[in-house]
Each structure stands twice: as C-alpha cells, then as structure tokens.
Amino acid sequence: MNKLNLDQKTIESCRIHANAIAEKIVRFIDNHTTVSVERSILRLLGVDGVDRYQVPLVNRLVDDCLQQRNCGEGISRYLAASLKNTQRNLADFLVAYQAGKATLAKDPASVEETLAILKPWIDQGLKKIQEQKELRNHWISTYGTAKTQIYVIVATGNIHEDVIQAQAAARAGADIIAVIRSTGQSLLDYVPYGITTEGFGGTYATQANFRLMRQALDEVSKDVGRYIRLVNYASGLCMPEIAAMAALERLDILLNDSLYGIIFRDINMQRTFIDQNFSRLINAYAGILINTGEDNYLTTSDAVEEAHTVLASQFINEAFAKKAHLSASLMGLGHAFEIDPEIENSFLFEIAQAEMALEIFPDAPLKYMPPTKHISGNIFRATMQNALFNLATVMTDQSIHLLGMMTEAIHTPFLSDRFLAIDSAKTIQKTAKSFREAIDYREGGVIHTRAREVLQKAKLLLGDVEKTGLFNALENGVFAGVKRPFQGGKGLEGVYVKDKDYVNPIALRMEEFFR
C-alpha cells in the first residue's frame, strides 16, 4: 500500500550509492581479521570455559597466538597443528592446555590440514546452530507472529530478576524481550563467563545468561501460546563472539549496527566493520534478525534537520546486510519518534518518516523506537507522547514496536510501568486497527512534502559519502555530528592483515551454505 508516491528512481539511486559505499569497505574487510573474529571461530568450534584467573580460554589462545606467531594466518591453523602434534581431540587438548601440559603450536598447519583436522568440530558447531534455527521455526509455525510485535526491555543487572520481569511482561502481552546489557560491556574485549547477578544499568551478556533466559521464555511461550523472542546486543568489541553465542543459544534478535559502536562508543572503525561483517554472516546462517541503531543519531542531532542521515544510514546498513547474506526479512532497520513535540506539525513529520521507512523497506521488519530525548519527569506528558508514538506505529504498520515508559526519565521502569505501557499499546492497536487502510495523505500536503524532502537529502548525502568514502565521512562527523579517527578509538590493536594463506573455516562453510 503506497501512500507517498515516492520517486522510485531516487530510491534506486540511494541503493546504488549505498552499495558502492559498502563495496569499498568490504574490500578492506576481506583483507583483515580481528582478535574477536578469531575468538568467535574458537567458540563455534566448541572452545569454552575460563582459566583459574577467570580469563576466557578463547582469549588465552588468541593472546598466545599474538605473542610469538602470525595472527594473520588465523587461529584455526595453529589450533589444528596443536591437535595434530599432541594427537589429542579438542576437549582433551583444552584440558591439557588449561593445566599447562600442552601449548599452542609454534607453526601452523596447512589450510588443507586445518580444514580436515577441524571438520568434526566445525560440523558439530554448525549442526547445533541449524538445530536451534529449526526449533525457532517450529515455534513460529506453531504460534505464528503478531503483525506488530510489542518489544519491552528488562534491565535489573541480575539475570534471575530479569527472568521474573521478562516472564511477567510476556504474560502481560509482550512479544519480544530485550535484556539490556550492563553499562560499559561493549568496551570489554572479552565476554564474562557464567551466570551473573550484578550489573549496572543492565545485565552482562554471557552465554550462560542467554541459556537461562531462553529456557525461561520457552516456558512462558507454552503458557501464553505465543513464541516470545529474545534480544541482546552484539555491538561492541565482542560483536561476533556475542553473535556466535546467540546462534548457539537461540536468541532471535541482536542489536547489530554497522556504525553505532564507532559513533557512540568510540570503537575503532576498522575493527567495527570487520567484526560486524562476520557477526552478520553468523546471524544470516542462524536466522537471527538484526536491529540497527539509527535512532541513536537523533539523541545527539536534531530530528528534523538530520532525519535524512537516518534514512541514509538505513540504506548503508541494508547494503552491508546484503553483503553478509542477510535477507530483507532479517533486517530490522531502526528509526525513532524523536521530534520535539513543541514543533508545529511534529506528529505529521513523524508519520512521514515512519511511512517513508515502511515504503522504502517494505520487506524489512522495521524497529520503531519510542520518544526519549524530549521525555522529562512529567509522567503525564510522557504518557501523552508515548500514546502518539503508539498511534504512529499503528498508522504506519511498523513491525517491531519498542514501548516507551512513562518513567523513562526518572528510573529503570518498574513492573507496573511496563504493564501500563503494554496496556496502552494494545489498546491503541485495537481501537485504531484499520486506521492505515482507511486514510490517504493529500498530494502536496505536509506528509508528502516532508517525506520527499528527506529522501532527496538522503540521496545527496549518500552521493557525497560515496565520493569521499565512508571512512572519511566518519572522520568528518557526517552521522550524528560525531567525528571519529581512522587510526584511533578502542580496539585498533586487535586488527590484523590476513596472510595469503589465512583461513576462517567457519566463514568458508557458512558462505558455502548461501551459494
């Protein structure tokens, strides 16, 4: 249902520019690896656990590789040589390695030997991911999917408390539960181990926590007769590792943006692009839907003046996703309801932005974020703004509806706040159910004019970024007004040029799957 009559040639030009932008970065990615990519390979081969100092074994192995070996050849080749030299299977080698009775081989195995030696563990890891994907598909085929899925967050810091709040939210009507990550975890160059009960502003993303929450949501899914989807965050220095753990534990959605960590966490852009490419390949293979973070631009930039940067970034994220084999059905492109409500016709501008996203990306399950920037301690005003957001969601057929909370600017929401938010969204969904099909927007009116202006500005911006290159655009602060250096930021020391005989056996097998 096309209500804006957007110029299709302009949309196609945007996609051509975005593809060219991504293509240049992918050529760079293809020649590099990172410590987090190498650790992800180990995780998918079955390496798990920590040493007596609580250092993850995947970090130990990759750090050993960095000390006296050529990490550009890939950790897989050294691991394969270690198994060959010690005549041990992987589990026995890890026990011996942890006890100091075995070391990582000094010289790598050949590529052919590596693929042959590691095949049993590659098969085992990929089989588990496929089994989890099939189980998810079974749940969805059994219960179906709501047209607009209600998405709420839990963020206690204690995974056991998160479980209680998550199950309560599901019983109240939520379809998607996001476990907010502990503040600062994106800057840790390792993944904490085990079940955690302490976190600030959220709960640590660990494989054990993923497993515990997945089990809890499966239990409540049976009770409520709906498949409750689980979300976590794959941004940060361990982006591909979290994607690997999520694939093994059947998470359904990951926050996985190409630019977010660079702009808002000062993670080196080289590191981020390399990591996001492998993480998205894992997500594509596992059937995990990604959410992008364009909504964050509007927290630092004006939502009226910089709306085109959101659209431009959506095109870029789409292009990167395609390069990693993600289908449109797995691209939860982000946007937000963040225009200052004091601006005349702000609601119409919001409708224009949301309808435009829907029509340009019709097959993508768009993730629509609630007002936050202009929410204050006035809970009555916050409730009004969230109600307008809920109405905009229904009017523009958004797929993933992240609820706003009346206490957003006061404290981490209580169970009662979350219940009221779910009740408001469901009431408006019901009372305005057929609103979109009952209305049209006047040609030349505010909504048409606004959408076309934003699209045209996005096209011009993408053309400029193609000319200068995305690396330079990020250095110049094109997105969110934040400048980041190519040779600066966190994690640059973990980037390595690939040797001519480098091999990532997991990526090879996943790429074969999509051929």
Side-chain angles (χ1 to χ4, degrees), residues 26 106 138 144 153 162 170 177 188 193 236 284 346 381 409 437 468 470 493 511:
V26 168
K106 296 290 186 184
H138 170 73
I153 64 174
D162 284 348
I177 303 294
L188 299 180
Y193 185 76
S346 62
R381 182 185 175 94
E437 64 191 56
T468 63
L470 186 53
E493 68 282 358
E511 291 282 357

Side-chain angles (χ1 to χ4, degrees), residues 479-497:
F479 297 100
V482 178
K483 298 180 179 181
R484 296 301 187 197
F486 180 75
Q487 294 290 353
K490 303 169 183 70
L492 176 61
E493 68 282 358
V495 176
Y496 297 90
V497 176

Side-chain angles (χ1 to χ4, degrees), residues 39-53:
R39 296 194 301 252
S40 305
I41 295 167
L42 293 176
R43 287 183 183 276
L44 291 170
L45 290 172
V47 178
D48 195 15
V50 292
D51 66 14
R52 61 191 176 122
Y53 301 108

Side-chain angles (χ1 to χ4, degrees), residues 23-300:
E23 189 62 43
K24 291 178 184 177
I25 302 296
V26 168
R27 287 199 292 269
F28 173 86
I29 292 168
D30 287 343
N31 290 319
H32 294 80
T33 185
T34 72
V35 289
S36 40
V37 167
E38 300 304 306
R39 296 194 301 252
S40 305
I41 295 167
L42 293 176
R43 287 183 183 276
L44 291 170
L45 290 172
V47 178
D48 195 15
V50 292
D51 66 14
R52 61 191 176 122
Y53 301 108
Q54 296 301 299
V55 176
L57 290 183
V58 294
N59 286 68
R60 279 270 311 273
L61 286 162
V62 172
D63 289 348
D64 280 357
C65 185
L66 291 173
Q67 288 178 6
Q68 300 178 34
R69 301 159 185 83
N70 177 10
C71 200
E73 292 177 306
I75 189 65
S76 303
R77 293 181 61 194
Y78 290 100
L79 181 61
S82 302
L83 300 186
K84 177 184 176 182
N85 295 347
T86 62
Q87 294 296 297
R88 289 184 167 104
N89 64 31
L90 180 58
D92 291 341
F93 170 75
L94 292 175
V95 170
Y97 176 80
Q98 197 168 1
K101 297 178 180 178
T103 59
L104 194 64
K106 296 290 186 184
D107 298 307
S110 69
V111 172
E112 294 75 17
E113 281 183 313
T114 298
L115 297 176
I117 291 169
L118 297 182
K119 186 177 184 301
W121 295 283
I122 298 169
D123 291 346
Q124 183 175 294
L126 296 185
K127 181 183 178 184
K128 183 172 182 181
I129 293 173
Q130 286 301 310
E131 287 172 347
Q132 293 283 39
K133 181 179 178 181
E134 289 167 9
L135 184 53
R136 179 193 301 114
N137 291 339
H138 170 73
W139 278 100
I140 293 171
S141 65
T142 300
Y143 293 125
T145 298
K147 184 178 182 181
T148 297
Q149 298 176 75
I150 292 176
Y151 177 129
V152 299
I153 64 174
V154 295
T156 70
N158 182 325
I159 190 62
H160 300 295
E161 292 294 326
D162 284 348
V163 162
I164 294 169
Q165 292 205 7
Q167 290 185 325
R171 290 192 171 96
D175 303 294
I176 300 172
I177 303 294
V179 181
I180 301 299
R181 236 180 1 186
S182 183
T183 300
Q185 185 177 347
S186 63
L187 303 182
L188 299 180
D189 216 342
Y190 68 94
V191 178
Y193 185 76
I195 290 173
T196 65
T197 57
E198 294 180 356
F200 181 77
T203 303
Y204 285 103
T206 74
Q207 191 163 348
N209 285 346
F210 286 178
R211 187 177 306 124
L212 194 64
M213 183 61 81
R214 177 71 273 163
Q215 291 169 351
L217 294 185
D218 284 351
E219 289 173 11
V220 79
S221 293
K222 294 174 184 175
D223 293 343
V224 301
R226 301 192 319 280
Y227 179 55
I228 308 302
R229 289 168 169 81
L230 175 57
V231 182
N232 215 286
Y233 294 69
S235 57
L237 290 169
C238 295
M239 190 189 298
E241 288 184 82
I242 291 177
M245 297 188 308
L248 293 169
E249 301 301 336
R250 193 170 30 93
L251 271 68
D252 306 287
I253 304 173
L254 286 176
L255 281 292
N256 192 206
D257 190 87
S258 294
L259 305 178
Y260 171 83
I262 301 166
I263 297 170
F264 296 101
R265 293 293 179 265
D266 192 23
I267 295 173
N268 175 262
M269 64 179 75
Q270 300 175 53
R271 172 79 176 261
T272 298
F273 284 123
I274 300 162
D275 285 350
Q276 68 87 22
N277 184 69
F278 188 42
S279 68
R280 288 186 173 189
L281 177 61
I282 295 168
N283 291 337
Y285 186 81
I288 294 173
L289 191 153
I290 67 166
N291 283 165
T292 60
E294 281 81 8
D295 55 282
N296 291 282
Y297 300 169
L298 305 183
T299 63
T300 57

